[in-house]
Amino acid sequence: MKLATWNVNSLAVRLPQMLDWLQTHPVDALVLQETKLTDDKFPAAEIQAAGYHVHWFGQKTYNGVALISREPVAADTVLRNIPGFPDEQARVIAGTLGSLRVIGAYFPNGQAPGSEKFAYKMAWLEALRAWVAEELKQHAELVLMGDFNIAPEDRDVYDPVAWADQIHCTVEERAHFQALLGLGLVDAFRLFEQPPKSWSWWDYRNLAFRKNQGLRIDHILVSEALRGRVSACEIDKQPRRNERPSDHAPVVLSLGS
DNA sequence: ATGGTCGGCCACCGA
């Protein structure tokens, strides 16, 4: 089976591109971030007409996530945001597909080290880790994927010197990423040899995509029980070449039986 | 050439 994550940066703008992509990449599940839609405006009918089931969780203007799947995800398995962590911001959606627990997340950006938004990012990361630890007790087969807004290592950054201690690259953010791995999760992308300078996000500014100046901040983490079944994990740069692209590329995971 | 972007939504903020 195939699973994917994509920060679409406004589903209202990107819906046609997303449906096109699903046609050529018929994944079993796709999690979206930054839908930027209130729930009443979510294009469920269009997604269902394309042959998919979907659960969604949004808000006005910012954030917003969705879980799209070929097979239905039972509503009583769906969680929105982190239990016990009151949050105005719609960032997490989880659901169960067969024996597989799928968590899609839009991690806080954090703006800049020392800012209020950075403090929120740290608190959110702490709550996420504690919750995912609980989820792992109930679901041996678990995938955590989304826009982490963390570049785990210097090789995930086009200019690690310029980005040293900047947002996405601080010691604190990287420690949180490692703590997630410490729960027994594996960065599926790094299970394989990958092209050097593999990024998942390129700033709209400064011709960053043309110059391949990006960061790898979108990730798919899999639990130990799934590790042996992972047959591929790739970033699909093609949609970033579209007209009016998202600034993020999808990341795709292939899982054997 | 030292700037150069988007999206949401209308004056800027957030990324």
Side-chain angles (χ1 to χ4, degrees):
Chain A
M1 75 187 310
K2 291 195 181 213
L3 308 173
T5 176
W6 194 3
N7 180 325
V8 291
N9 185 21
S10 169
L11 188 57
V13 173
R14 234 66 68 187
L15 179 65
Q17 290 181 43
M18 191 208 73
L19 293 174
D20 283 350
W21 189 84
L22 273 178
Q23 282 229 317
T24 50
H25 301 77
V27 294
D28 296 280
L30 168 65
V31 291
L32 304 179
Q33 302 89 40
E34 287 206 87
T35 56
K36 297 187 176 178
L37 291 169
T38 52
D39 288 342
D40 59 304
K41 297 217 169 67
F42 191 86
E46 289 89 336
I47 293 168
Q48 287 155 355
Y52 288 88
H53 296 84
V54 62
H55 295 276
W56 60 96
F57 179 42
Q59 65 180 95
K60 189 176 161 64
T61 308
Y62 303 117
N63 309 312
V65 287
L67 168 56
I68 294 170
S69 56
R70 187 58 86 173
E71 297 296 323
V73 168
D76 65 354
T77 71
V78 174
L79 278 181
R80 291 170 173 82
N81 271 356
I82 303 166
F85 185 78
D87 196 346
E88 305 284 299
Q89 306 183 27
R91 295 187 172 278
V92 179
I93 190 159
T96 303
L97 263 176
S99 56
L100 181 68
R101 188 66 166 163
V102 177
I103 303 175
Y106 176 47
F107 290 43
N109 175 286
Q111 194 175 54
S115 67
E116 271 184 38
K117 292 193 176 78
F118 190 82
Y120 165 73
K121 183 174 195 172
M122 292 297 115
W124 189 94
L125 284 163
E126 191 65 45
L128 178 80
R129 174 175 43 166
W131 171 59
V132 170
E134 291 305 308
E135 286 278 318
L136 279 165
K137 289 179 187 169
Q138 297 157 54
H139 307 278
E141 299 177 11
L142 182 147
V143 174
L144 168 63
M145 56 185 172
D147 175 359
F148 283 50
N149 274 313
I150 301 173
E153 299 178 55
D154 279 354
R155 62 176 164 161
D156 300 311
V157 181
Y158 72 95
D159 186 347
V161 174
W163 280 79
D165 304 316
Q166 302 301 304
I167 198 63
H168 310 307
C169 303
T170 64
V171 171
E172 294 97 320
E173 292 164 278
R174 288 177 170 178
H176 271 289
F177 189 87
Q178 290 303 314
L180 288 169
L181 302 188
L183 299 177
L185 298 173
V186 180
D187 181 353
F189 188 77
R190 292 299 181 202
L191 289 174
F192 304 92
E193 195 158 328
Q194 299 288 357
K197 304 185 194 301
S198 285
W199 325 125
S200 68
W201 169 82
W202 300 258
D203 201 306
Y204 285 124
R205 294 166 286 192
N206 309 321
L207 305 173
F209 185 68
R210 271 185 40 147
K211 297 190 276 191
N212 197 30
Q213 297 181 339
L215 307 178
R216 191 177 72 95
I217 55 177
D218 300 84
H219 306 295
I220 301 182
L221 306 189
V222 303
S223 60
E224 277 295 339
L226 292 176
R227 183 196 189 114
R229 289 171 48 194
V230 178
S231 56
C233 183
E234 289 164 345
I235 298 167
D236 181 8
K237 283 176 76 166
Q238 196 57 42
R240 189 64 177 79
R241 301 187 178 103
N242 291 347
E243 278 188 47
R244 285 191 93 184
S246 169
D247 45 352
H248 294 254
V251 186
V252 184
L253 177 80
S254 302
L255 266 185
S257 47

